Amino acid sequence: MKNKKKGIIVIASVVVIAIVAWSLSGNRNLVYSFDGKDYDREAYYEQMKEHYGKNFIYQFMEKEYLSGLDVDEAIKSSIANQEASLLEQNSSEEDQDMIGITLRAMGYNGLDELNLFLTNQYHKSAILQDNVLKVFDDLENFQKEMQPRIVTHVLVQAQRESNEHMNSDAPLDAEIALMGEVDAALDKADNVTKTMIDLSSDNGIIGESLGYMDNSSQLVESFIKGAQNLNEDEISEWVKSEFGYHRIYVESTNIETIKEYPEFKESVFGYDSSLEKEIMIEHMQSDGVEISDSLLKDDEDDADMLFKISNKTYDKEDVLDEILKLDYGQFLIGDLEQIMLEEIKNEKNYDVSAEVDQEVKNFEDAGLDFEMMLSYYGFRDEAHLRENLESALVLDKYANEIIDEKLESLSERYELQKLYLFQVESEDIAKDIETYVKNDYEVNEIKNEFDILDSVELVYYKGMSDLPDSVLSDLNEHKVALDIQENYALVFAFGEEAIDEKEAKDVILNHTSFRDDILKDMILDRGFKVHNKTLKKNLSVDYQDYLN
């Protein structure tokens, strides 16, 4: 009987262990809950893939491949110096946070992988530069549309001291004299490029070789038009720009000469945005990387093996671990925000198509290459731009609709208070004002006591302010804060006046935190909860308010 009881206890223990193991396994597999549903790793993966396509898989594959390439010591040292310089130029907490966010969006784990990112970019740039001319097969159309050329110019620039002269299309007497000097030199020049450069002087003549340019170059419109109207070995007449008067010389329009310039290759990538990925895939495959058809063709389901690098096989689980490591809220929260926006649009019957069309037109009419602008602002294509514009316009309409009914609670939430900003001429005066305010004198009396260079009435809103962290910290602790500058000092001090409804409404409506909070409240009201430890740790950095 004792043995039977012992056997029952053993069986019961095994059952309990199995239940606990099953429960722990389930918890490990669970990523988040939302709107009464639990989302496991598979659901999270499919959600990310639906929203971002397979770009995040490709991004991961490229990162893994580039990270395995060798770097010599000289390049390592150069990259370390580049990293140090970048961090020195962006030393503030806000700047470094922005670098971290940008790196995560590009598939790297924030500042911890800045050196790795720079190293991989070195490898990638070399691969692209070495292979672009082997892959790009649309040179004829590129030449017709972009009109590439090698250019030198000479600029005449005199000091203009009055509005009349600033707005005049006619050159000043001093400019006319310099233009005559340039014309005489060019009339007898054997080597136009050398002559233009040699004309440079301290008296208002600048001669320089610009090298490669085309119609997407970041140059003033009049200069681009002047250069595009010339054939090879021709010099323009005088061309006026906001900088002065130019004579432009086209050294070459020969494509074989032009192809040697790195700027030409960069322009080709802007001209054909698919080229970069095509080159990288071909190069990786030629270097032994195995890539499944499911990754190369968007219309196929994911295979068991997505890609293989140096005998290491990567599947969905590997990709999912990487996404969870990199998702600081921009993936998951961004996706849930889109769901909320779609609900708002449908419930309110908002139609913002005309506004979206107008914004896209404004984008196109900005005078720069449309595809390059999309890439610069982080949009994959026009559809992605339209999606973001629609989201912003829908949210703007909804914010304006609910502001009146929520104004009282919002004013309390953001703790709106009247704030004064005083600019004074010295640190000593600033500290005197600080003492004055701390002794409970009225803020509006300060002007009568101190030498104020400038003063501005502001509204301070806790949690929504763009003031420096040091100022915010002092204001939250006291009712006055200092920001000492090189040649002057700023004093921030709370006033006693109440903020009226119109002012409160304007402040809240004109700040993006209000729109972010609208969506955040909707998401949290649906029972959003994070279960995955990695994702929860990441959200604590940028989306602390979403954690329960």
Side-chain angles (χ1 to χ4, degrees), residues 153-158 160 165 168-172 175-176 179 182 204 206 223 237-248:
H153 82 121
V154 62
L155 167 67
V156 164
Q157 189 179 50
R160 290 175 174 248
H165 278 158
S168 172
D169 286 333
L172 303 177
E175 288 170 331
I176 292 173
M179 291 160 75
V182 170
I206 301 171
F223 189 96
E237 297 300 322
W238 287 102
V239 174
K240 185 178 186 300
S241 80
E242 61 194 75
F243 302 105
Y245 294 86
H246 311 255
R247 287 198 73 179
I248 305 166

Side-chain angles (χ1 to χ4, degrees), residues 87 89-101 111:
L87 292 175
Q89 293 169 18
N90 300 273
S91 57
S92 71
E93 184 178 344
E94 292 86 351
D95 287 345
Q96 296 201 0
D97 283 347
M98 184 54 64
I99 293 175
I101 291 169
L111 284 177

Side-chain angles (χ1 to χ4, degrees), residues 141-204:
N141 284 328
F142 179 86
Q143 283 183 275
K144 287 179 182 177
E145 293 179 32
M146 306 301 290
Q147 298 187 54
R149 54 205 54 226
I150 308 305
V151 170
T152 300
H153 82 121
V154 62
L155 167 67
V156 164
Q157 189 179 50
Q159 183 69 36
R160 290 175 174 248
E161 298 179 354
S162 69
N163 289 334
E164 182 180 355
H165 278 158
M166 288 291 290
N167 297 324
S168 172
D169 286 333
L172 303 177
D173 290 343
E175 288 170 331
I176 292 173
L178 293 173
M179 291 160 75
E181 183 181 332
V182 170
D183 290 340
L186 292 178
D187 284 344
K188 57 185 180 183
D190 293 324
N191 184 325
V192 176
T193 298
K194 183 177 184 304
T195 299
M196 282 186 166
I197 293 172
D198 288 347
L199 279 167
S200 288
S201 66
D202 295 333
N203 66 351

Side-chain angles (χ1 to χ4, degrees), residues 410-417 459-469 472-473 475-476 494 507-508 511-517 520 545:
L410 289 169
S411 296
E412 292 178 4
R413 178 177 187 168
Y414 300 128
E415 298 181 24
L416 301 187
Q417 298 178 67
V459 174
Y460 166 70
Y461 27 103
K462 188 175 182 180
M464 297 172 64
S465 180
D466 296 324
L467 296 175
D469 288 343
L472 285 175
S473 176
L475 279 173
N476 288 329
F494 285 129
V507 168
I508 295 170
H511 207 285
T512 53
S513 290
F514 171 46
R515 287 156 178 76
D516 293 341
D517 286 343
K520 180 184 72 178
D545 291 345

Side-chain angles (χ1 to χ4, degrees), residues 103-156:
L103 286 169
R104 292 198 296 270
M106 299 175 75
Y108 292 81
N109 195 15
L111 284 177
D112 291 342
E113 291 190 334
L114 175 57
N115 186 275
L116 177 62
F117 168 75
L118 294 173
T119 304
N120 285 355
Q121 285 301 108
Y122 163 78
H123 288 308
K124 184 174 180 178
S125 177
I127 293 167
L128 295 175
Q129 290 283 332
D130 289 345
N131 291 280
V132 59
L133 297 180
K134 300 173 188 175
V135 176
F136 185 57
D137 58 3
D138 200 13
L139 270 177
E140 185 176 345
N141 284 328
F142 179 86
Q143 283 183 275
K144 287 179 182 177
E145 293 179 32
M146 306 301 290
Q147 298 187 54
R149 54 205 54 226
I150 308 305
V151 170
T152 300
H153 82 121
V154 62
L155 167 67
V156 164

